[in-house]
Amino acid sequence: MRILIVEDELKIAQSVAAALVAANYTVDAVSDGEEAWFRGDTENYDLVILDLGLPKMDGLSVLKRWRTAERTMPVLVLTARGAWMERVEGIDAGADDYLVKPFQIEELIARVRALIRRSVGQGSALLTAGGLAVDTRQMRIQMGGVPVAVSPLEYRLISYLIHHKGRVVPPTELIGHLYGDDDARDANALEAVVTRLRKKLGQDLIETRRGFGYIVSDLRA
Ligand code: CA
């Protein structure tokens, strides 16, 4: 899952980024409205954390432009304490949720998890498919009731596929959601991660649809 942080206060941006990385999300961060608009318009994020008071273009304008252009990723707006009008305007402009500064980082992470789940139609923090159970709160995986140790990248990959259970996910989409700006992105590396996961989770769980992508589903071959 890949998240864009838009925040011009460096300390907040850094602490939010650190907490998201610790929670195993891939994170990009920008500090002005124009760059934010461009990134959200051209990259596929699973969620955006958007401060409203930003240089170059304010957060509300950024959000309105995205929604007008039918960019539908969930957006969590950050607002100043007492600025209730901002919150109303934010929700009217298409924000999915908001947090008032200063906030507890644990609350931010919980809301991020819930928003991402809701955006793909998953109600519970425990996601299951074909014997696999992914606990998105504890970042733990079980297969047939047995805990399985996975690397952060392996976790991100299986977590993305199970969030999108029943849909074939193209490799380009997976790469876009697993890796940040500074990481190497290539399809062979992705295939290697899938191979490692199959060794740990069984050969049938992640299906390859040649020429289309990967799918995790409830229906077992
Ligand atoms: Ca600000």
Side-chain angles (χ1 to χ4, degrees):
M1 298 290 162
R2 188 170 174 210
I3 296 177
L4 178 67
I5 301 171
V6 186
E7 170 60 81
D8 59 325
E9 285 170 69
L10 192 62
K11 264 177 79 176
I12 296 179
Q14 283 173 339
S15 71
V16 169
L20 288 170
V21 167
N24 224 328
Y25 294 100
T26 301
V27 174
D28 296 331
V30 297
S31 58
D32 74 69
E34 277 178 12
E35 175 75 7
W37 168 78
F38 176 74
R39 299 300 294 267
D41 200 50
T42 53
E43 302 273 339
N44 289 316
Y45 290 101
D46 297 290
L47 180 127
V48 178
I49 296 169
L50 179 67
D51 182 35
L52 292 187
L54 293 168
K56 294 191 184 172
M57 192 193 304
D58 69 89
L60 270 181
S61 303
V62 173
L63 180 55
K64 282 179 191 159
R65 282 204 195 184
W66 283 337
R67 294 317 193 209
T68 303
E70 291 177 6
R71 304 295 290 169
T72 58
M73 65 283 194
V75 173
L76 172 62
V77 157
L78 304 180
T79 69
R81 183 168 33 193
W84 64 270
M85 198 58 211
E86 267 189 6
R87 298 201 288 280
V88 173
E89 286 174 341
I91 289 165
D92 281 344
D96 298 275
D97 199 0
Y98 65 84
L99 258 184
V100 178
K101 293 180 187 176
F103 49 81
Q104 294 296 318
I105 207 82
E106 291 79 7
E107 182 177 3
L108 177 104
I109 300 290
R111 285 177 187 240
V112 163
R113 267 198 309 264
L115 280 170
I116 289 177
R117 282 200 318 263
R118 249 186 275 152
S119 72
V120 293
Q122 305 275 8
S124 160
L126 185 71
L127 306 179
T128 59
L132 175 74
V134 176
D135 183 336
T136 58
R137 232 170 311 183
Q138 302 197 330
M139 292 176 279
R140 289 200 179 126
I141 287 176
Q142 291 195 342
M143 190 67 197
V146 180
V148 179
V150 290
S151 73
L153 185 59
E154 289 163 3
Y155 176 85
R156 292 206 295 272
L157 195 152
I158 195 65
S159 174
Y160 190 85
L161 287 177
I162 202 168
H163 271 85
H164 295 271
K165 181 169 81 169
R167 178 166 77 78
V168 177
V169 180
T172 47
E173 179 182 331
L174 261 179
I175 289 168
H177 288 264
L178 295 186
Y179 299 99
D181 289 338
D182 303 331
D183 302 321
R185 304 161 165 225
D186 97 69
N188 291 331
L190 187 69
E191 183 64 38
V193 181
V194 171
T195 302
R196 288 204 304 274
L197 275 169
R198 283 186 176 135
K199 280 189 189 137
K200 295 180 178 184
L201 303 173
Q203 295 298 317
D204 304 335
L205 183 75
I206 305 171
E207 262 183 80
T208 300
R209 299 277 169 85
R210 293 268 165 239
F212 294 99
Y214 303 99
I215 179 170
V216 162
S217 58
D218 280 324
L219 304 170
R220 310 296 302 277

